[in-house]
Amino acid sequence: ARARGGAMSAVAPRARRFAQVDVFTDRATLGNGLAVVLDAEGLDDAAMAAFARWTQLSETTFLLPPTDPGADYRVRIFTPTTELPFAGHPTLGSCHAWLAAGGRPRDPACVVQQCGVGLVRIRRDGSGAAQRLAFAAPPRRRSGPLEPELLARVVRFLGIDAADVVDHQHCDNGPQWKAVMLRSAAQVLALRPALGSEPELEVGVLAPHGPGKVGVVGASPEGHDADFEVRAFYPAPGGTLAEDPVTGSLNAALAQWLVETGRAPSRYVAAQGTALGRAGRVFVDHDGRDTWIGGHVAPCVEGTVRL
């Protein structure tokens, strides 16, 4: 594997256990894919970064023994361009792969993951194919409304009028999301943002399902199983923005914002990925202390990779 700048990694390749899973869906190919290297001991930063660029998935994770005595395993999370201190779908997908590979948590009811933001708790709801994993959302590093100049950039990027924005917020829990709420799910799905125009923005957009519902959860369109529609745009290779299929970190910060301000109930379901032909579902549960972000994980690929 080549490191950044073209230098070769000094790590000698060997066979390592590998899994690819689809997160926030119970049917493979309809969620957000994740590559997981289960035996990452001995890999240096360059080898991890090179493999993450090669997979071209939004994230690739590398599992390691924990260095914190309170953790069950440690994860490092890489995009094709950088390392992240935390991300949601890599948290659930990595935990699923770790458990499927024989990992045994100290507490059967709660897996503890060590990552760049510290320790993250993950609970298991249900069993078998119906089981969902849920992580306790980490605290936001930054909140509060977007500055006027920044909001103007977001509005221009999305190609909407400022009057379309019901509310807006910094939603930084590692990834530095800038979130706006629109009036309807139809507006969210109709967005055609200029993906090459703002390479440094990480933008999340949401709106309630159901016509005329502003900032509260009401009746969804007949037959719909989600309360909110969410879309996320993030920096991608080549200095552009791309759309993420389903985003745990964004939904975690959105949930904290929406529940705290009374715009959403303590339990709701968010849909994401619709505009990309996916069917992601994120289950939010605020228990009075923690905000839990949950979803199914579908296995896709199991085997070994030479790294």
Side-chain angles (χ1 to χ4, degrees), residues 1-284:
R2 285 191 179 273
R4 292 185 180 90
M8 292 296 293
S9 168
V11 178
R14 67 174 178 85
R16 301 172 188 272
R17 289 181 299 168
F18 174 79
Q20 192 162 322
V21 297
D22 206 12
V23 186
F24 292 119
T25 180
D26 58 0
R27 292 176 290 166
T29 74
L30 294 182
N32 198 353
L34 175 74
V36 185
V37 178
L38 287 140
D39 304 310
E41 288 182 89
L43 287 176
D44 59 19
D45 292 2
M48 293 183 188
F51 187 64
R53 287 197 300 274
W54 181 80
T55 69
Q56 282 298 297
L57 292 170
S58 55
E59 280 96 11
T60 299
T61 62
F62 301 86
L63 304 192
L64 299 154
T67 58
D68 188 305
D72 293 306
Y73 65 87
R74 180 164 66 100
V75 64
R76 295 184 65 181
I77 305 167
F78 284 78
T79 75
T81 59
T82 191
E83 183 174 7
L84 299 178
F86 169 77
H89 101 273
T91 292
L92 298 188
S94 295
C95 181
H96 179 278
W98 182 77
L99 290 169
R104 295 185 177 181
R106 292 174 175 83
D107 179 354
C110 183
V111 180
V112 181
Q113 172 184 280
Q114 180 184 358
C115 59
V117 296
L119 301 182
V120 177
R121 290 172 293 134
I122 305 162
R123 71 184 188 189
R124 291 184 274 184
D125 298 326
S127 60
Q131 184 179 84
R132 291 203 304 257
L133 298 175
F135 65 85
R140 286 163 292 172
R141 297 178 172 186
R142 185 180 183 184
S143 58
L146 305 180
E147 296 76 13
E149 298 82 2
L150 180 55
L151 178 60
R153 286 176 58 195
V154 171
V155 166
R156 185 169 57 251
F157 162 72
L158 294 174
I160 60 177
D161 294 327
D164 294 328
V165 178
V166 175
D167 203 354
H168 50 88
Q169 185 86 176
H170 283 283
C171 284
D172 180 356
N173 54 9
Q176 298 176 15
W177 294 108
K178 290 83 177 172
V180 297
M181 172 177 275
L182 304 186
R183 298 184 184 280
S184 71
Q187 283 182 305
V188 172
L189 292 173
L191 289 173
R192 296 294 182 268
L195 293 179
S197 64
E198 286 284 0
E200 296 180 359
L201 286 179
E202 291 172 303
V203 181
V205 189
L206 79 159
H209 272 285
K213 308 298 181 183
V214 180
V216 295
V217 177
S220 296
E222 185 176 353
H224 209 293
D225 62 341
D227 303 301
F228 287 92
E229 188 73 38
V230 175
R231 293 178 72 179
F233 305 96
Y234 68 98
T240 63
L241 286 185
E243 182 164 359
D244 197 42
V246 201
T247 318
S249 62
L250 173 61
N251 276 284
L254 288 177
Q256 291 166 328
W257 170 38
L258 296 178
V259 173
E260 286 174 6
T261 58
R263 292 191 177 279
S266 58
R267 290 187 177 184
Y268 69 84
V269 180
Q272 192 179 346
T274 310
L276 299 175
R278 310 290 179 89
R281 293 295 183 269
V282 180
F283 297 83
V284 173

